[in-house]
Amino acid sequence: MSMLTPPGMGGQYRIKGDKYPRMRRRRPRGRLVLLGAASLAGLGLVGWGTLQLVDVFTGGGGTASAAGAKSDCSTKATASPSAAPKLPKPDAITVNVLNATTRGGLAKKTADELKKRGFKIGDVGNASKEYDKKVKGTGLLLGPASSLNTSLPVLATQLTAAERRTDAARKGAAVDLIIGDAFKELTKKADATKALTALVEPEPTPASSKKGC
């Protein structure tokens, strides 16, 4: 072995000229594999993070948002008329006009005016002892239980301040208008007609408050 041959080379290399071979240690393959895997994982995380940032700034999930917006849309609000109660017309209501005051002639005068407004007139005279001089308001509208939401509301448009009352034991369909101490006259015809129209033909209510898309 030449003196110029580096130790441990076993005579495999000969030194020729003035250049020497570079000596490097072999790196384990396992470490290289791990480094490669770590690099790939790092690149994957970076790519995923980039996509998330893009979604945040561009409002990602466009398909889901569009679907959600479409599901919340509705047609334009339409007005549907409220179901009008089945109320009788004045000419289908028989009214007994009774005077519970000490003033004479009120029952006949009031009955004549109600007849002009289309109501049928039944008995006209003084109130019974049960109500005579005991009605302090403008009047009392009295009828059978079935008249509570039918005849009485229609008659009440003619004397708006009157009290309404029903008698479960009462028979027939006729109703009473008992004139009280505070009575002066029936509601003005124009106002009564307006109230009756509003009662029979209520204004339609909106079916939906949502706006269209």
Side-chain angles (χ1 to χ4, degrees), residues 16-135:
K16 295 181 179 181
D18 56 357
K19 295 181 180 181
Y20 296 88
R22 294 181 180 179
M23 307 303 294
R24 295 181 182 176
R25 296 182 180 179
R26 294 184 178 179
R27 295 181 180 178
R29 292 184 178 180
R31 183 179 297 177
L32 292 176
V33 173
L34 289 176
L35 289 174
S39 299
L40 290 175
L43 289 174
L45 289 173
V46 171
W48 181 82
T50 302
L51 289 176
Q52 293 300 313
L53 289 175
V54 170
D55 285 345
V56 169
F57 287 103
T58 60
T63 303
S65 298
K70 187 175 292 185
S71 64
D72 292 338
C73 294
S74 62
T75 56
K76 293 182 179 180
T78 56
S80 59
S82 300
K86 294 181 179 179
L87 298 174
K89 294 181 179 180
D91 60 5
I93 301 174
T94 299
V95 184
N96 301 318
V97 184
L98 307 174
N99 185 4
T101 73
T102 58
R103 293 174 286 167
L106 285 182
K108 185 178 185 308
K109 182 179 179 180
T110 302
D112 290 343
E113 181 61 28
L114 284 175
K115 186 176 181 180
K116 292 178 182 179
R117 298 185 184 188
F119 290 86
K120 288 183 177 181
I121 303 301
D123 296 334
V124 178
N126 294 326
S128 63
K129 291 182 179 180
E130 183 180 358
Y131 299 103
D132 190 27
K133 301 180 183 65
K134 297 178 183 178
V135 180

Side-chain angles (χ1 to χ4, degrees), residues 38 141 205:
L141 307 182
T205 56

Side-chain angles (χ1 to χ4, degrees), residues 163-177:
E163 178 188 355
R164 304 180 204 178
R165 192 182 302 175
T166 59
D167 183 358
R170 182 166 176 158
K171 305 296 182 181
V175 294
D176 297 343
L177 190 160

